[in-house]
Each structure stands twice: as C-alpha cells, then as structure tokens.
Amino acid sequence: MKIYKLKTGYTEFLGALLQKGKNVIAPRFAGRTLLFGKIDKAEEAVLPEKYINTVRSAKEFMFPVTEAVVEFSFRNKDVKIHDAHPEEDEKLIVGLRPCDAAAFTITDDIFNYEYKDEFYLTRRRNAALITFACESIDEACFCTSVGLKPDSIQGSDILFKKNSAGTYIAYVNSEKGQKVIDSVKELFEEVIEVVEDIPLYRDLENKMRSPLDTVKIKEWLDKNFESPLWDEYSSRCLGCGSCAYLCPTCHCFDIVDETKYSQGLRRKNWDACQFPLFTLHASGHNPREVQSKRYRQRVMHKFKYYSDRFNKTLCTGCGRCVRSCPVNLDIYQVVSELTKEETA
Amino acid sequence: MSNDIKQSSEAKKLARELLEQGKVSAVIGYAEGTLKGRVQTLIARNPLDAEKFIFNEYCVNNLAVYLTKSYRLLKSDKPVAVFLKPCDIRTVTALIQEHQIKREDIFIIGMSCQGVRNGNGLSGKCRACRMHNPQYSDAVIGEAIEEKEPEVTDPFARVKEIENMSTQERWQFWTKEFDKCIRCYACRQACPLCYCEQCIVDKTQPRWIESSAHPVGNMAWHLIRAFHLAGRCIGCGECDRVCHQNIPLSLLNMKMSKEIFDLYGYRSGVDPEAKPPLTEFKMEDNEEFIR
C-alpha cells in the first residue's frame, strides 16, 4: 500500500480529475440539502472540512432510488421483453466518509449472495471510493460501536487524512485507487518515511458515544423475539422510511411495473420494512401487521439476522437514522437499553 | 424558577396524578431527547414513567399524530391524555370534525406556549403564531401568555410569492424541489391528518400514483397529497420539519388552505362547530371556479 502527500488542496484535486475527463461525484448542495451528485466544476463541491456527512449516503450510486430492470412492450398478444442493463461508465465517488465506504463492504455480501445483482455489482466494479477521514463528528455518530473509526480505511480505494500541518495524506488501498493517483500523478508526492498518528482522529474517536457491545446485543436478540419491549419501544415509531432510506446499508427494494400505453418498465425501487405494505401478501395476510413487528424486524436485521448470515453487523454507525427520525427514536439508545433488560 | 422547569414539573405532576388515579390509560408527552435540541415522545402508562416528562422550547412535534397513528392506544375504556400546544389542539378539533376521534376519548393537556424551535431558530409556524394559550383543554399547564402581534403578520406571504411566479418559474421551482424526494413517506407518517388505513399511493389495483421516485411519480404524489389535505391541514408544519431533503411541503398545504379560506371562509381546526366545506353542501356555496 503506497502513501502519498497531496501537494494541493481538495478543490485543485477535483479540478485535476475533471480535467482528465473523469466522472466525479462529490458532496454538493442541492438547494439547502447536502447530497452526493455529479459535479461539473470543482468549486461546486463542498470542502470536506465543512460537513460532517451528507444527508443521503452514497449507496444510490450502486443501488439507485429507482431504476429500470426490464423493458417491455406489447401489441395484442405480441409481447416483447428486454433486460435493462446498468450503465458501464466509471465513477469516482469523492469526499465520502469512512462509514459510507465501509457500508459497501457490508452490502457487497448480500448483492453477491445467492443471486448476483448485476446492477449493483457492475456499478460497484466501476466506482472508485475516495474517502476523506472525518474532521468533525456530532452526537448522532457511533461508528466506534460497530468496529469503525473516523479514519477507517475499510472499503475505501483511497483514504485521505489530514496531518497536523493540514496537508492531505493519501493512503492507497487498492489497484483502483492507485490508478486514480496515477491519473493525476503531478499532484502527488510519494511518502516513504513513517507517517505520524494524527491526534485529531483519536480525539474524535474518544468523543464518540461509548461503543455498543454488539455481541451482547446479538445474544439478547437471539433470545427475545417475543419480548414485550418491542411494543414498548415501537409505540413511538411513526412508521416512516426515513431511517431505512438514509441508511447506507439498508438495501430492501420493491419491484413495480409502470406502463404507459403499450410499453413500460419494470422498476426496482427502494423500500423499507417499516411500511405495512412491505410484507403484505396477495392473500391479504400480513405477517408484520403492526408497527412493533416492523420495528423489531429493523433491529433484528441490523444486529442479528445479517450477523447470522454474514457475520457482520448491518450498520456503520453513521448516525443518519438518529438524525432523521422525526420522533428521535434512537437505535443506539434502543439497543443499549434493550440489552440491560433481562426478559429472556 | 424558569418557565421550562416550572412547566415541566407541573406536567409531570399532572401526568402522575392522572395515571395514579386511573383517569387515563396513557399519557403522551415529551421527554429528553438524545441529541441537542431534540425531544423524544414518551408514552407513559404507569405513574413512575411520568417523572420523565418535560416541556421546553424544543417540543416542536405535534403529538396529536399519535391519536391516529397509534390507534390502538385509544381502544381502551379510558381516555388518553396528550400534551398539546395551542396550535396542536387544532388537530384534535379537525379530527373530531372528521369523526376520527371523540372528544371524551382525549384528555387534552394544553401547554401554554411562547413558540418552539426547530433546530437553531424559532420554528417557521411560530413566526406567524397568534395562539399562545390553549383552548378546549381539560387542563392547562403554564401561565397565561399575553397575545401579541406576531413577527410575521401574513402567514401566506411565501405562498403569495410563489403565486406571483410565472407558470414556467413555478414549474421549475417545484420540479427541482420534488427531484430530491426519495419517497420515504415521512411527510405522510408525521402528518396527523394523513390517517387513511390505506394510502392512495399504496393502492396497486389500479395503481393511481407511480411509487417510483422519478419526476412523474414524485409530482403526482405530492400534488395528490396536497389535494387530499385541502381544507383539512391545520398547518402544524410537521411535513416540512421531517423532510430531511428540505422540500418545503407545507407551502403546498398553505396554498390549499388559502384557497379554501378565500372560497369558503373556513380555517381547519379553529371552530369545533364548523362543518368542513368539502364534506358539506350549501345552496349558496361559491361555485365560480366550476367552469
């Protein structure tokens, strides 16, 4: 793994990538909302020291909010069906945080499981993740609870950290990352000597909410599918999809056919386990007919089911669900409190 | 003693008494949140839980949403008590007018209110607020507040600005806003008047509104939602507050409120005796707009 010093600032780095004709995705304002988006000018991108994280994660660049998977048309009984394919262009996703980069290493497992999701996997192959370590955190952040840190490299092709002199140091973590550095080599200088441990990141780590015991949480969940506490906690939940839609690891989708006259598209859309419709059967039966069952599903999937199947927690502690919940139903608080209860 | 602390301790005391005396099955109120400037909902069923209740300037949520969303809470032989700010009480009025709840099933704990904050500043709805003292309450917490002229005298000022745009500009404005929508339905779920057991967007046979987050689906969703709330929205602004994409959804509802007021002189949730215009027919109804 090579280490480089960036000789310029962030904007110049983006400018150089754009100049080379790269497709750059970075955090920029859409109205008042900080979102990832394609940038045409380096100045559009918001500097990494100016934000904690984007409102939406970067997952939509592998798994879009909505996308066509099949195209169809019909005339009388003559039906034509074609597979849709994901775009093949290369993307550089720049300015994401370690929690969002790590999220892809978690969702890779499910999209690569029994069914290989061509859409996710193609985009994933063609995207380089260029992460900038956190320079600030807020009270919602809890990445240290799930094995991450403000400067984790997991999932990043390149991780940029700022040294105490304020210079960006690039840690290359993959071939893909090396290719990005090589494409704008004039901006970088290879670092041979040992790089200092930067106190800022350790400070942030220490300031974070105290780590959760995910092993203990899982043990509790293994025994408490029927706990009355689900009803207690979920009675506050309004059943919206904010938590799931903003989550970098939530990956559930719905398939719908949308038709106009004699042609249409089969689309794959984000969906959330908090909606009653999510599990409504064609028969009319709904195995999760009340919010307590739906809320339990969310917690179980994050801290038990995903762990049973892939030995990973389906959470990166990015805190988006905590920030966005209309009623401050805080998953960190919920799982910390649940495990204190001995209701096995 | 500061106002917050005084109001909080009065609220705790009342909640505890109501639960101890078995007058209500539950008390829905606010408790300390986990983030700065945020409060949590607390649904207390035993007197001990009542100790956690608070009331302060961050109590922006309209708790009346729980009266329809957690409908099973009301299926008890006792009423449910709920902390409601003067503006939130309009929700109960509107829900009674629409026969969704009965007055005797709700114990209104009216909170006198100086205005609440949403994030850093005074919430938008409070800037034009003229109601600081709770009406129609079973108990009032807090001292009477002198009603004064609000900071914003015309609540429809922003709506008028948008009305004055050209059709093209307006189309661009909304297209750009709706483009951010990811269909998480937080607007619907946080809305105390969006209580349909099955929302039109969830109907699939036939599908009236495309559920995909593309321009057509998003535009259809937000416009139909605004129509469904016409003359019903009480302006609590929860849709705006919960939209993490910052889409100014309440502008659509305000526009509809303005239309209904201009046509029928009706404001939702203000007068429990008034009949909602869209559920009533009068010979003298304004019909100039039917062409």
Side-chain angles (χ1 to χ4, degrees), chain A residues 303-321:
Chain A
F303 293 95
K304 170 175 160 54
Y305 305 148
Y306 210 79
S307 168
D308 284 339
R309 182 163 291 166
F310 301 116
N311 201 22
K312 287 177 184 171
T313 300
L314 190 62
C315 172
T316 64
C318 74
R320 285 187 179 86
C321 56

Side-chain angles (χ1 to χ4, degrees), chain B residues 30-93:
Chain B
Y30 305 99
E32 207 67 62
T34 61
L35 304 179
K36 219 175 285 155
R38 297 287 303 276
V39 293
Q40 249 170 25
T41 308
L42 171 64
I43 301 174
R45 288 187 183 81
N46 72 63
L48 287 175
D49 285 341
E51 290 311 310
K52 295 183 207 148
F53 282 123
I54 56 161
F55 187 77
N56 62 31
E57 59 184 348
Y58 297 111
C59 296
V60 61
N61 314 25
N62 179 359
L63 296 177
V65 69
Y66 289 100
L67 299 177
T68 49
K69 290 290 177 326
S70 299
Y71 191 64
R72 65 203 158 77
L73 275 174
L74 303 179
K75 290 187 178 152
S76 154
D77 50 357
K78 285 178 197 165
V80 168
V82 53
F83 287 25
L84 295 170
K85 301 186 291 294
C87 56
D88 301 334
I89 292 173
R90 289 178 302 166
T91 322
V92 174
T93 308

Side-chain angles (χ1 to χ4, degrees), chain A residues 30-35 55-56 60 65-66 138-140 209 231-232 234-243 245-246 254 256-259 267 269-270 275-277 280 290-292 322-330 333, chain B residues 32-36 38-43 45 49 61 65-66 69-70 72-73 176-177 179-190 198 201-204 207 209-214 238 241-242 244-248:
Chain A
R32 292 172 295 150
T33 317
L34 187 69
L35 299 174
V55 173
R56 265 141 66 178
E60 63 196 68
V65 188
T66 178
D138 69 9
E139 308 151 277
R209 293 176 173 205
D231 205 32
E232 189 67 35
S234 66
S235 57
R236 282 186 265 155
C237 176
L238 296 180
C240 76
S242 294
C243 49
Y245 279 35
L246 299 190
D254 182 29
V256 295
D257 287 349
E258 290 180 351
T259 313
R267 293 182 191 272
N269 293 336
W270 285 1
F275 301 147
L277 206 65
L280 181 64
V290 289
Q291 199 57 35
S292 55
V322 180
R323 284 179 213 109
S324 67
C325 178
V327 294
N328 190 221
L329 182 57
D330 181 331
Q333 185 191 27
Chain B
E32 207 67 62
T34 61
L35 304 179
K36 219 175 285 155
R38 297 287 303 276
V39 293
Q40 249 170 25
T41 308
L42 171 64
I43 301 174
R45 288 187 183 81
D49 285 341
N61 314 25
V65 69
Y66 289 100
K69 290 290 177 326
S70 299
R72 65 203 158 77
L73 275 174
K176 216 170 152 190
E177 289 295 344
D179 186 49
K180 291 181 285 183
C181 177
I182 52 175
R183 307 296 279 277
C184 71
Y185 301 115
C187 47
R188 173 186 75 187
Q189 295 306 108
Q198 195 186 17
V201 76
D202 289 340
K203 295 208 174 173
T204 53
R207 185 174 278 292
I209 305 173
E210 290 178 337
S211 60
S212 312
H214 52 46
E238 285 288 84
R241 183 183 73 86
V242 304
H244 33 72
Q245 307 303 307
N246 296 313
I247 305 171

Side-chain angles (χ1 to χ4, degrees), chain A residues 45-328:
Chain A
V46 178
L47 297 176
E49 63 259 36
K50 301 268 189 206
Y51 58 90
I52 293 172
N53 214 339
T54 48
V55 173
R56 265 141 66 178
S57 79
K59 78 173 170 189
E60 63 196 68
F61 295 95
M62 315 297 166
F63 168 41
V65 188
T66 178
E67 67 179 319
V69 291
V70 170
E71 296 162 11
F72 55 84
S73 62
F74 47 88
R75 177 171 292 182
N76 299 323
K77 284 186 177 167
D78 178 26
V79 180
K80 290 197 175 71
I81 301 172
H82 304 282
D83 279 345
H85 298 284
E87 70 283 359
E88 289 277 354
D89 59 330
E90 290 184 3
K91 290 187 191 89
L92 303 183
I93 305 181
V94 188
L96 73 174
R97 295 303 183 196
C99 49
D100 282 5
F104 293 116
T105 66
I106 299 171
T107 49
D108 283 349
D109 287 359
I110 187 73
F111 284 112
N112 221 343
Y113 189 48
E114 285 168 340
Y115 179 81
K116 310 281 175 218
D117 190 306
E118 177 207 345
F119 296 88
Y120 175 93
L121 296 173
T122 304
R123 296 194 184 100
R124 183 81 170 92
R125 209 167 38 242
N126 290 326
L129 305 178
I130 304 173
T131 308
F132 280 73
C134 300
E135 293 182 46
S136 55
I137 56 164
D138 69 9
E139 308 151 277
C141 294
F142 64 100
C143 70
T144 54
S145 290
V146 285
L148 296 170
K149 291 175 184 178
D151 59 340
S152 291
I153 199 163
Q154 185 185 323
S156 301
D157 294 300
I158 307 173
L159 172 70
F160 280 88
K161 298 210 242 180
K162 242 184 202 170
N163 68 13
S164 33
T167 306
Y168 280 121
I169 307 293
Y171 296 75
V172 179
N173 198 28
S174 70
E175 285 284 307
K176 227 191 266 176
Q178 188 62 48
K179 269 167 77 183
V180 175
I181 298 275
D182 291 344
S183 72
V184 285
K185 202 141 198 169
E186 62 281 9
L187 303 188
F188 291 94
E189 188 181 299
E190 199 173 338
V191 179
I192 312 289
E193 74 270 27
V194 178
V195 178
E196 57 169 333
D197 185 40
I198 303 154
L200 167 73
Y201 304 115
R202 302 293 75 79
D203 282 355
L204 293 177
E205 202 181 322
N206 295 332
K207 265 192 242 161
M208 202 118 23
R209 293 176 173 205
S210 57
L212 293 169
D213 184 345
T214 48
V215 175
K216 204 173 147 204
I217 293 167
K218 187 172 176 313
E219 279 170 12
W220 190 90
L221 295 174
D222 283 339
K223 292 182 291 188
N224 285 290
F225 188 78
E226 299 287 359
S227 170
L229 291 169
W230 294 119
D231 205 32
E232 189 67 35
Y233 281 97
S234 66
S235 57
R236 282 186 265 155
C237 176
L238 296 180
C240 76
S242 294
C243 49
Y245 279 35
L246 299 190
C247 175
T249 62
C250 273
H251 52 264
C252 287
F253 55 82
D254 182 29
I255 298 286
V256 295
D257 287 349
E258 290 180 351
T259 313
K260 194 174 178 188
Y261 305 119
S262 59
Q263 51 190 337
L265 296 170
R266 171 159 294 178
R267 293 182 191 272
K268 178 174 149 195
N269 293 336
W270 285 1
D271 203 352
C273 55
Q274 300 310 295
F275 301 147
L277 206 65
F278 186 74
T279 43
L280 181 64
H281 295 181
S283 67
H285 171 64
N286 194 342
R288 293 185 209 138
E289 83 276 37
V290 289
Q291 199 57 35
S292 55
K293 293 184 177 179
R294 302 193 279 266
Y295 188 71
R296 173 180 65 196
Q297 168 63 23
R298 179 170 172 78
V299 178
M300 287 278 184
H301 198 177
K302 299 253 160 246
F303 293 95
K304 170 175 160 54
Y305 305 148
Y306 210 79
S307 168
D308 284 339
R309 182 163 291 166
F310 301 116
N311 201 22
K312 287 177 184 171
T313 300
L314 190 62
C315 172
T316 64
C318 74
R320 285 187 179 86
C321 56
V322 180
R323 284 179 213 109
S324 67
C325 178
V327 294
N328 190 221

